[in-house]
Amino acid sequence: MGNEDKDVEIANHLQGGKTTEERYRRMVDEVQDYAILLLDEKGHIQNWNRGAEAIKLYAAAEIVGKHFSIFYLPDDQKSGLPERLLSTARLEGRAVHEGWRIRKDGTRFWGSISLTALHGDNGEIIGFSKVTRDLTEKKIAEDYLRDLAAELQLKNDALRASEERYHAMISEVQDYAILLLDTDGHIINWNKGAEHIKGYCAEEIVGQHFKVFYSQSDQDEMLPHQLLATASLRGRALHEGWRIKKNGTRFWGSIVITALHNSMGELIGFSKVTRDLTQKKEAEDQLQEHVLMLERRNEELDRFAYTASHDLQEPLRKIQVYTDLIQQQPDNPDIVKQYLEKIMLSSQRMGELVRSILDYSRLANTQSNIEETDFNKTFAEVLQDFELLIQKQNATIHLNGLPTCHSIPSQIHQLFANLLSNSLKYSEAVPVIEVNTDKILGKDDVAIPPLYHDSYYYRISFRDNGIGFDSSFSELIFVIFQRLHARHKYTGTGIGLALCKKIMDNHNGFIRAESEVGKGSTFFLYFPAS
Ligand code: ADP
């Protein structure tokens, strides 16, 4: 029977002409959802209704007369809970309580009780009414919700703690720049590693597009956007290359960009991890340069051995031919005189060649006598050596100041002497030579390889108004024994500029030439400056 039906039935009873008390008793008896009992003044059960039977499972016959503490857990009985409730009701008129109670079959239910004192005409307590509701399901639901809430709280706390740890970990990492980017590539967070590597602090960079770390040419080629496109397409993009720090200097960055997706698989941004591998890159570059240098040296040595023997054999062959000719006519004084002169010239040339080759091979020793050298002084000494020639050719030399560098003075002497002698030699007009110096940053001159872009150099330019040469030979002239001009007109060994090149190598510097036929030549020397 549903509650509504029962309400109707109770209403019928009420209208049914029985005595009010009778109707009242029937109503109480019939109520199923509440155990409604009468207790005597000591707590013994006086009546039993359907609700009491349904909740506690005892039949009226087996329970009426028993003390109501029978429904309480042994511990509650021991602690005197039933008596306490009675005395509260006695004193205050009412006692309410919720707690686990025991059914007849030993199982528990969560009872919510209300105990009310009943008074006689003189105000004395004649018993108690006790209404009990079974709120087990509610209790279970509440406990479940409370446990769930506690569990969620715990999980939440753990998650927050792990999130905090994770954030702390990322923000403390020093060796890697670990960033979050939004889907367009704008920077969302910044860690210590990023600050360390790129030089920006969080306030000045968060919100900017990550392309600011890329060189202008990389930006022009859309490299940053291409990397994001690759990451969104393939999940990940890897790249290594020169990147720019806040102060404009470069670092070699090795980066991994990873696309981030939400649970629906939609792109929500990117993580970007960058490592500064500048030192590794520089070491690799240096190694590669070293290998290249060794290869070049080997080639140079091969060419050197071949050409040296070839160039030395030429005067030697002449000496042999002229000696043969003299031997055929030893008594002819004119022939002897004529050929002896040629033999002398050839042996002089051999001597010159041997001396130059010796000079060249001696340059391998780079550690000798490095000292602070005032190049003005060295240049003045060279001018003295060439005094007669300069006078003879009526040459003008404009010197606009030279630096003082850590160097090997004898080699600097040799360097200036070779350049000056060439400018005087490869000239048809009255020679005018101009020497200038300026200080430059490596990246501002084409001659300086990228590795040295952040270093400063003294650039000495040595300009003449001589016959010049085709600019396509501007590298070849530094190769040993390479000569561009007619041998019979301009004497030489082809060793001078190779020597200059080696001297610049020994000083961690560079040399290059610019020229145009008939318009003079300029030789640039680059010395490391502090
Ligand atoms: P060389 O003993 O022949 O002068 P170098 O090694 O000094 O040998 O020079 C190599 C070649 O470079 C020269 O043979 C010449 O053809 C060219 N050269 C060098 N300096 C100049 C210059 N100042 N003007 C024009 N050509 C030059």
Side-chain angles (χ1 to χ4, degrees):
M1 190 183 289
N3 278 342
E4 280 173 28
D5 298 342
K6 177 135 30 58
D7 287 347
V8 173
E9 198 193 319
I10 289 171
N12 288 340
H13 278 302
L14 289 174
Q15 287 163 6
K18 298 189 177 158
T19 64
T20 309
E21 206 174 311
E22 169 68 4
R23 283 200 301 261
Y24 187 71
R25 200 180 56 76
R26 287 287 307 273
M27 181 190 81
V28 169
D29 278 353
E30 298 292 325
V31 167
Q32 295 215 4
D33 295 332
Y34 294 84
I36 302 174
L37 314 185
L38 271 179
L39 306 180
D40 68 12
E41 72 278 12
K42 293 248 166 60
H44 294 104
I45 298 162
Q46 303 286 296
N47 80 318
W48 197 240
N49 76 335
R50 278 205 198 173
E53 193 169 336
I55 294 172
K56 307 184 187 187
L57 307 178
Y58 293 95
E62 43 187 5
I63 197 73
V64 170
K66 297 253 169 70
H67 195 267
F68 83 105
S69 60
I70 191 169
F71 309 127
Y72 287 72
L73 299 178
D75 280 353
D76 285 342
Q77 292 185 14
K78 240 185 261 163
S79 75
L81 176 62
E83 278 72 26
R84 272 204 308 282
L85 291 172
L86 280 186
S87 57
T88 305
R90 236 179 246 122
L91 280 171
E92 296 169 16
R94 214 164 79 97
V96 290
H97 187 256
E98 279 199 10
W100 289 113
R101 304 283 184 266
I102 307 190
R103 301 182 218 271
K104 182 186 169 191
D105 66 359
T107 59
R108 292 174 177 205
F109 69 96
W110 184 261
S112 163
I113 67 143
S114 159
L115 201 61
T116 310
L118 304 173
H119 298 91
D121 294 340
N122 299 323
E124 79 283 13
I125 291 179
I126 55 167
F128 301 92
S129 76
K130 180 168 175 280
V131 179
T132 303
R133 235 177 123 186
D134 180 356
L135 294 184
T136 308
E137 280 178 17
K138 183 172 156 261
K139 168 71 177 163
I140 288 173
E142 269 174 13
D143 284 357
Y144 174 74
L145 282 178
R146 207 188 39 237
D147 288 354
L148 196 67
E151 197 180 318
L152 283 177
Q153 183 65 39
L154 273 178
K155 273 194 185 152
N156 212 14
D157 288 351
L159 198 68
R160 189 167 335 107
S162 103
E163 230 169 61
E164 274 166 11
R165 271 200 304 273
Y166 183 72
H167 277 297
M169 178 192 85
I170 288 193
S171 71
E172 293 295 321
V173 166
Q174 300 246 7
D175 296 334
Y176 295 84
I178 304 177
L179 313 187
L180 277 179
L181 307 178
D182 68 14
T183 47
D184 294 328
H186 295 104
I187 297 158
I188 294 174
N189 81 318
W190 197 242
N191 74 335
K192 279 202 183 160
E195 188 169 339
H196 182 66
I197 294 174
K198 305 180 189 200
Y200 296 91
C201 60
E203 297 82 64
E204 47 191 9
I205 197 73
V206 167
Q208 291 208 48
H209 196 275
F210 84 104
K211 70 181 178 191
V212 295
F213 311 129
Y214 288 73
S215 70
Q216 194 53 51
S217 61
D218 281 348
Q219 290 190 31
D220 291 346
E221 283 168 25
M222 305 290 283
L223 177 61
H225 293 89
Q226 274 168 21
L227 290 173
L228 288 193
T230 307
S232 7
L233 202 70
R234 307 219 177 101
R236 227 154 65 105
L238 309 176
H239 191 257
E240 279 202 8
W242 290 112
R243 301 282 183 270
I244 315 285
K245 298 185 190 203
K246 184 189 166 191
N247 65 8
T249 58
R250 303 178 321 159
F251 69 96
W252 183 261
S254 163
I255 67 148
V256 184
I257 297 183
T258 310
L260 305 175
H261 300 94
N262 63 14
S263 53
M264 323 266 288
E266 295 160 340
L267 182 72
I268 51 167
F270 300 92
S271 74
K272 176 167 176 285
V273 180
T274 303
R275 242 179 116 184
D276 179 355
L277 294 184
T278 309
Q279 281 180 346
K280 184 172 155 259
K281 168 72 177 163
E282 281 177 354
E284 274 172 14
D285 282 357
Q286 258 164 9
L287 192 71
Q288 205 175 350
E289 210 167 276
H290 194 68
V291 169
L292 271 177
M293 195 193 73
L294 286 179
E295 277 174 6
R296 248 184 278 130
R297 265 207 192 142
N298 262 348
E299 277 172 24
E300 224 169 68
L301 265 179
D302 284 351
R303 208 176 313 116
F304 183 84
Y306 174 80
T307 324
S309 66
H310 180 269
D311 277 26
L312 280 171
Q313 253 163 18
E314 189 206 51
L316 188 63
R317 199 174 40 83
K318 278 187 184 156
I319 291 171
Q320 280 167 348
V321 169
Y322 297 135
T323 325
D324 277 354
L325 286 173
I326 290 176
Q327 270 179 345
Q328 281 168 21
Q329 303 180 54
D331 302 326
N332 185 335
D334 292 339
I335 295 273
V336 171
K337 190 170 174 268
Q338 185 193 344
Y339 290 142
L340 265 181
E341 261 171 27
K342 287 189 187 282
I343 288 172
M344 246 172 59
L345 278 177
S346 291
S347 66
Q348 262 172 14
R349 173 149 176 81
M350 266 188 86
E352 202 182 311
L353 268 167
V354 169
R355 249 194 323 279
S356 299
I357 290 170
L358 255 178
D359 279 349
Y360 185 79
S361 57
R362 277 196 194 120
L363 284 180
N365 179 9
T366 56
Q367 290 309 311
S368 58
N369 304 323
I370 294 181
E371 55 189 70
E372 282 292 291
T373 313
D374 180 355
F375 287 4
N376 292 295
K377 236 177 95 195
T378 319
F379 198 77
E381 288 163 11
V382 173
L383 285 180
Q384 253 178 13
D385 293 353
F386 283 82
E387 203 179 3
L388 285 178
L389 198 58
I390 292 169
Q391 267 173 21
K392 195 174 146 205
Q393 292 189 236
N394 207 12
T396 320
I397 293 152
H398 299 288
L399 175 66
N400 298 315
L402 286 166
T404 295
C405 293
H406 222 55
S407 59
I408 306 163
S410 60
Q411 294 193 4
I412 303 301
H413 188 106
Q414 225 170 348
L415 174 76
F416 290 155
N418 283 336
L419 292 176
L420 185 63
S421 106
N422 279 351
S423 290
L424 293 171
K425 179 164 61 169
Y426 299 103
S427 164
E428 301 278 75
V430 175
V432 179
I433 298 163
E434 201 178 297
V435 184
N436 286 302
T437 305
D438 58 356
K439 194 174 175 181
I440 55 144
L441 188 60
K443 69 175 174 141
D444 296 330
D445 194 292
V446 287
I448 311 297
L451 186 58
Y452 306 105
H453 275 184
D454 297 334
S455 311
Y456 282 96
Y457 287 89
Y458 288 118
R459 176 172 60 187
I460 302 172
S461 61
F462 207 103
R463 178 193 297 274
D464 65 41
N465 62 340
I467 57 173
F469 56 87
D470 191 300
S471 62
S472 59
F473 298 121
S474 60
E475 283 181 25
L476 194 70
I477 52 171
F478 295 104
V479 173
I480 193 161
F481 302 125
Q482 292 293 340
R483 310 196 61 218
L484 304 179
H485 298 101
R487 279 156 195 259
H488 62 272
K489 210 164 165 192
Y490 305 99
T491 60
T493 57
I495 296 178
L497 285 181
L499 216 116
C500 292
K501 167 93 173 54
K502 199 152 206 180
I503 290 171
M504 292 316 297
D505 284 350
N506 288 350
H507 288 82
N508 299 320
F510 306 96
I511 184 169
R512 86 184 162 90
E514 275 178 9
S515 190
E516 209 180 312
V517 177
K519 298 236 167 109
S521 314
T522 308
F523 287 84
F524 294 96
L525 311 172
Y526 302 86
F527 285 93
S530 45

